[in-house]
Amino acid sequence: MQQAIEVIRGDVGRPKAVSFVNPKGGVHKTTATVLAAATLGSVRGGGVLAWDDNELRGTLGLRAGTARHARTIKHLIHDLTAVETAINQGHGITEVLENYLRHSSDGSFDVLAGDEDPRVARHLDPDTVRRLMTLLTRAYDIVCVDTGNNVESPNWKTVIEQTDRMVITTLPREDSAFTADWMLDLLEEDGYGDLVADGVTILSCPSPIPSPLLDELVDHFSHRTRAVAVIPYDPALESGSTISFSGIAEQTRRAWLDASAALVQGWGQ
């Protein structure tokens, strides 16, 4: 455990963007984004943001905890030019962004919440996504992006283009793993073979009963991505409500320490 902590605390070099991906719903993308951000932020002492980039009613803002205000990505997009101007004029970036971001329940990371209005998606064109990523990585060492499910959307493709490391989330189930595999094939065809090979696969167990497919999928994804981490079942995550990092089981925290160490491994070298 101490070795994982030391790896997580290491220098990451320039700011990094991490995308959590799988076009299938219900594969713990949001849960993984929250718990990775919480682990990284807790161990590193801050400098981590979780961005809910789901195009249709993402729940990261709800699951991450405290909402000091109701502002979401919609408000940041609306004010984006004014925000960029204020920062370029010398206003502190943290102070300016404070009006649009929320804090996690334990304060270990910040959150850019998604919006319930599906019309916001039409404003997430490639130029806007790039501007948002530039802004957020100026303010944070690590930006964790909870992506949507449409791999053909300009938003999804632009986030992948801006990604430094990819986290593939799946369950030890055939349908979830098949969709992840199909997505990796598509990314390789589009020229992202290096990003795929450098990825980290998170296999989250949705039940206390071990899946007969778990070992097979660990072996399979270890040949497709750089690392594979298995997250045990935790009843504290079943309700779908706010995730409290301090409220999850010790073995879950240890698993996320190992997963997060794999996530940042090799940066800053």
Side-chain angles (χ1 to χ4, degrees), residues 124-259:
L124 287 165
D125 57 87
D127 180 62
T128 300
V129 172
R130 292 187 191 103
R131 289 167 66 191
L132 286 167
M133 191 70 83
T134 297
L135 182 67
L136 298 175
T137 51
R138 283 180 65 181
Y140 292 89
D141 294 330
I142 302 174
V143 176
C144 298
V145 187
D146 182 7
T147 64
N149 298 336
N150 182 5
V151 299
E152 292 300 324
S153 77
N155 177 11
W156 195 90
K157 289 184 174 183
T158 306
V159 167
I160 295 300
E161 169 198 302
Q162 302 286 304
T163 293
D164 295 289
R165 184 158 285 163
M166 189 166 58
V167 176
I168 301 92
T169 69
T170 188
L171 309 181
R173 290 177 33 161
E174 190 171 343
D175 56 349
S176 303
F178 175 84
T179 306
D181 235 11
W182 166 79
M183 176 195 66
L184 295 180
D185 289 341
L186 183 69
L187 287 167
E188 288 175 342
E189 291 171 7
D190 286 345
Y192 291 104
D194 290 344
L195 189 64
V196 170
D198 187 52
V200 176
T201 301
I202 302 290
L203 275 157
S204 298
C205 298
S207 165
I209 302 172
S211 167
L213 288 175
L214 182 59
D215 291 342
E216 178 183 338
L217 291 176
V218 168
D219 179 68
H220 173 77
F221 283 105
S222 69
H223 288 88
R224 296 218 66 177
T225 59
R226 180 177 53 81
V228 178
V230 176
I231 307 298
Y233 167 76
D234 192 329
L237 302 174
E238 265 197 350
S239 68
S241 60
T242 300
I243 296 172
S244 170
F245 189 57
S246 61
I248 62 177
E250 178 63 25
Q251 66 171 348
T252 310
R253 284 198 295 274
R254 287 177 177 270
W256 271 109
L257 279 170
D258 290 339

Side-chain angles (χ1 to χ4, degrees), residues 29-30 52-59 114-115 146-149:
K29 274 201 305 289
T30 298
D52 187 349
D53 195 37
N54 280 281
E55 295 172 346
L56 294 174
R57 302 192 69 174
T59 59
D115 198 273
D146 182 7
T147 64
N149 298 336

